[in-house]
Amino acid sequence: MSSDTATIDTTLAAKHRAVWASGDYPAIAADLVAPLGPLLVEATGIGPGDRVLDVAAGTGNVAIPAAQTGASVVASDLTPELLAAGQRIAADRGVVLDWRQANAEELPFADNEFDVVTSAIGVMFAPHHQAAADELLRVCRPGGRVGLLSWTPEGLVGQMFAAMKPFVAQPPPGVQPPPLWGREDHVRELFAGRVHGFAARRGTLDVDRFRSGAAFRDYFKSTYGPTISAYRAIAGDPDRVAALDTALAELGDRFLTRPSVMAWEYLIITAVKSEPGTRHDRS
C-alpha cells in the first residue's frame, strides 16, 4: 500500500468512525435489530469451545449471545463508542468476552486464529468489500465457519440507502455500496475458490415500532449515523432537505405491511473455509 493510499484509507476510516459514533446506534441495536444476533449464532452453530471473532460487532448483538453459549469470543469494531456501550451491556448481563478496536479491512489477529468468524449488519459497511472479505477468511482456520447477516438491496434498509444516494457525495473510487453484501452472487464472488458448503437464505425481521413512514423517517433522522450524515450534507439547502424528508417517509409507508409493522429483509450466508491448496470453483 502506498503512503498516499494509506493516508486516504486512514481518512476514510476516521469518517466512518465519526458516522457510527453519531446519533444513537446502541438504541437501534437494542430496540430494533437485537433479534438478528441470536439468528447468526444459531446459523453458525457456535457453542462451547469455539474461538469466535465477531467483526464490526457494534454493541455486541452477535458477540454477547455467542459468549453465552460458552464460546470464547472477541468482539471487534472500528468505533470505540460502540464497543464501550457493548462492554456495559455485557457487564450488566454477566457475560465475559474480549473487546478490541479494529478495522475490518486490517484485522489485528493472526492467520487461522478463529474457529468461527461472524458479522451481522457490520462488515457490510466496510468500504472495500474484497479487502474485508479477505480478512474474514484470513483469520478463520481451515475447516472453520464464516457467518454473515446483511441487509438486502431490495429490503427496507437497502432501499433507504438507495433513497439517500442522490443526497450524499459520491464515495471515493473503489468504495462499494453496503447492500451488495445482501446479494448471494456478490458474496460468492468475494469468497470464490476459498470456501465450500456455501449456503444462503433470506429472512425478514418484523419491526413493530413505527405507525407511519414519517415516524420511521424521524427516528432514523435523529438516531442512525448514515441518515444523520446525509442530512448534514444538505443542511444548507431546504429544498433538498424537504425532498429527502419526503423520500424517506414514502419509503417507510411502502414497507408498512400492516399497522405499525415493517418487514426488513436480510440475507444469512454461512460457509466453511477450505483447506490450503484446495480450490472450490463452485462453493
Side-chain angles (χ1 to χ4, degrees), residues 1 17 28 70 85 88 119 123 146 165 167 174 178 209 223 261:
M1 176 184 296
R17 277 197 302 271
I28 293 174
R88 291 191 293 270
S119 188
V123 76
V146 176
K165 183 177 179 180
F167 300 91
R209 183 180 180 97
T223 308
V261 177

Side-chain angles (χ1 to χ4, degrees), residues 73-185:
V73 179
V74 177
S76 70
D77 198 275
L78 183 65
T79 306
E81 291 85 351
L82 299 186
L83 292 174
Q87 287 178 295
R88 291 191 293 270
I89 295 167
D92 288 344
R93 297 181 185 176
V95 180
V96 177
L97 62 154
D98 294 332
W99 301 85
R100 293 282 298 275
Q101 185 177 358
N103 188 327
E105 297 180 6
E106 194 174 6
L107 295 170
F109 306 107
D111 295 357
N112 309 320
E113 185 171 344
F114 297 94
D115 301 305
V116 188
V117 179
T118 61
S119 188
I121 56 174
V123 76
M124 66 179 291
F125 294 101
H128 305 102
H129 294 189
Q130 191 63 66
D134 290 348
E135 284 292 270
L136 295 176
L137 292 179
R138 180 184 66 79
V139 300
C140 184
R141 67 167 176 82
R145 292 102 68 198
V146 176
L148 305 172
L149 188 153
S150 306
W151 300 122
T152 66
E154 302 83 6
L156 179 134
V157 179
Q159 289 297 296
M160 179 170 65
F161 276 88
M164 293 189 297
K165 183 177 179 180
F167 300 91
V168 299
Q170 288 295 309
V175 172
Q176 295 176 283
L180 283 178
W181 284 88
R183 280 179 37 191
E184 178 181 347
D185 61 341

